[in-house]
């Protein structure tokens, strides 16, 4: 049905163009050659042209518009022939019949054939001498017979094309059915107009109908996430140069949700090998991206506290080392071990121990800056990276840790106490690489343990 209506609408536009050109040619001919000007004729023509234009532009009832167009075409041809009584004017009826066959509709061909036969009977009987000079009554039979053969021929041709169209529509319906049950959207970018067309599935993906992108030339750009627009545009340009690798970016739906898509395209060229468009598919990969993010989160974070783990911490320290080396600044590493945590696990159980660890993580988070890195490296051990810091700032942070963890942890009306032993190493005084800095912070922490715990200490050669 969609293909049929689309075809009929296209033919309506073609017929509107033909009628407009024919009307203007007739008007110019009357004005310039015959010096015949009628304000009534002009007004009627403009009114009918406006009606036809509105009907065609509306697109809502293409079939009704088709019948109206054909009836108007024959009426206009009738009055045109009546105005200019000649065989040339009469032959426009045959052209009208052929044009009606472009619709590939049997009903419209039969209607145009019937109207053509009426016109033949009328003009042969009324204006035989002016249009068919020298013709005898037998010529009328030949004219009607020719009309009949023309109609039969057009009906046969229409039947053949109709079968092809039905097969194409059936294939399109099957393809749409398959695509509508997947998260795949097909698209086509016309390089001449810059307009991108999408399959109906785009509405399910973005919340916008295919018509939105037909009306808005830059509509496809408007749905791309602002942070990804530059990248997506560059990759689209690379595709024009033949680099057809898949492109992944985010789009923003009508309700403001971000969705990840993967775009794949292929170049389409015409007979002269000129690039005319890019056809492709858009695949919703949001579930895969969420799974990837979850796996990365699990790989780089502690599942209990949600803090970065040792792998993530080492990566961030390596990056921070490069920055402070360039800026010739200091940074510090804290190694924190909770005193007596094993006793909490033994007394209250591991579930209570887990609750305490999560509470410790929350209290430590509140102490440090956004660009500082706090991690849990396992058990009851935590590490902190303070980037671009001084000894005074590091000491102040250590005191804050002692203060925050001094308050008891409440669990089922029980007060549970835990204290930290904190070892601190400073770059570049205590080491120039991550291994050295962590080891010396660890050594300083064990020195605190030996001295009675619940304190902090900077690394010195005496703690080794």
């Amino acid at each position: 049905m969609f293909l049929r209506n689309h075809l009929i609408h296209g033919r309506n536009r073609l017929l509107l163009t033909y009628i407009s050109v024919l009307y203007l040619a007739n008007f110019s001919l009357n004005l310039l050659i015959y010096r015949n000007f009628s304000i009534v004729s002009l007004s009627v023509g403009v009114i009918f042209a406006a009606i036809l234009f509105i009907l065609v532009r509306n697109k809502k009832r293409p079939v009704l518009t088709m019948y109206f167009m054909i009836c108007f075409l024959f009426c206009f041809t009738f009055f045109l022939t009546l105005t200019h009584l000649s065989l040339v004017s009469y032959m426009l009826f045959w052209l009208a019949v052929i044009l009606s066959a472009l619709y590939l509709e049997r009903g419209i061909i039969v209607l145009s054939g019937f109207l053509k036969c009426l016109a033949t009977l009328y003009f042969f009987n009324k204006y035989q001498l002016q249009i068919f000079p020298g013709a005898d009554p037998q010529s009328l039979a030949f004219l009607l017979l020719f009309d009949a053969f023309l109609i039969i021929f057009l009906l046969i041709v229409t039947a053949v094309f109709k079968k092809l169209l039905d097969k194409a529509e059936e294939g399109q319906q099957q393809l749409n059915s398959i695509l509508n049950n997947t998260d795949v959207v097909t698209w086509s970018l016309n390089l001449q107009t810059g307009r991108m067309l999408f399959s109906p599935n785009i509405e399910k993906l973005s919340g916008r109908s295919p018509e939105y992108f037909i009306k808005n030339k830059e509509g496809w750009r408007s749905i791309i996430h602002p942070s990804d627009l530059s990248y997506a545009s560059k990759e689209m340009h690379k595709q024009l140069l033949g680099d057809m690798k898949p492109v992944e970016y985010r789009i923003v739906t009508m309700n403001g949700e971000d969705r990840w898509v993967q775009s794949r395209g292929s170049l389409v060229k015409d007979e002269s090998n000129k690039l005319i468009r890019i056809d492709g598919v858009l695949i919703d990969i949001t579930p895969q991206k969420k799974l990837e993010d979850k796996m990365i989160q699990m790989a780089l974070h502690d599942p209990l506290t949600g803090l970065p783990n040792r792998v993530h911490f080492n990566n961030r320290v390596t990056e921070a080392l490069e920055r402070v080396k360039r800026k010739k600044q200091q940074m510090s590493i804290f190694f924190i071990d909770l005193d007596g945590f094993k006793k909490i696990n033994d007394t209250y159980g591991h579930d209570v121990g887990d609750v305490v660890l999560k509470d410790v993580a929350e209290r430590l988070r509140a102490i440090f800056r956004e660009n500082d890195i706090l991690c849990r490296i396992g058990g009851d051990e935590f590490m902190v990276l303070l980037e671009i810091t001084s000894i005074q700032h590091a000491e102040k942070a250590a005191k804050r840790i002692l203060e925050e963890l001094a308050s008891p942890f409440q669990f089922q009306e029980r007060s549970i106490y835990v204290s930290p032993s904190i070892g601190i190493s400073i770059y570049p005084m205590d080491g120039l690489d991550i291994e050295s800095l962590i080891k010396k912070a660890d050594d300083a922490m064990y020195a605190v343990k030996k001295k009675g715990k619940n304190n902090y200490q900077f690394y010195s050669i005496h703690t080794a």
Side-chain angles (χ1 to χ4, degrees), residues 332-336 383-384 421-426 430 434-448 457-459 463:
S332 56
I333 298 288
F334 284 36
F335 201 116
I336 305 169
M383 281 200 296
V384 185
S421 294
I422 309 166
I424 308 169
S425 63
I426 305 291
D430 300 329
I434 182 173
E435 291 82 9
S436 300
L437 291 167
I438 291 176
K439 182 180 182 307
K440 289 178 179 178
D442 188 32
D443 291 342
M445 183 272 293
Y446 276 107
V448 173
Q457 182 169 319
F458 288 90
Y459 173 81
T463 61

Side-chain angles (χ1 to χ4, degrees), residues 1 30 129 168 197 247 258 261 301 305 369 377 388 401 463:
M1 182 60 72
N30 286 335
L129 294 177
L197 303 179
V247 183
D258 291 349
V261 295
H301 290 78
T305 62
R369 300 168 300 186
I377 59 174
I388 309 177
I401 294 171
T463 61

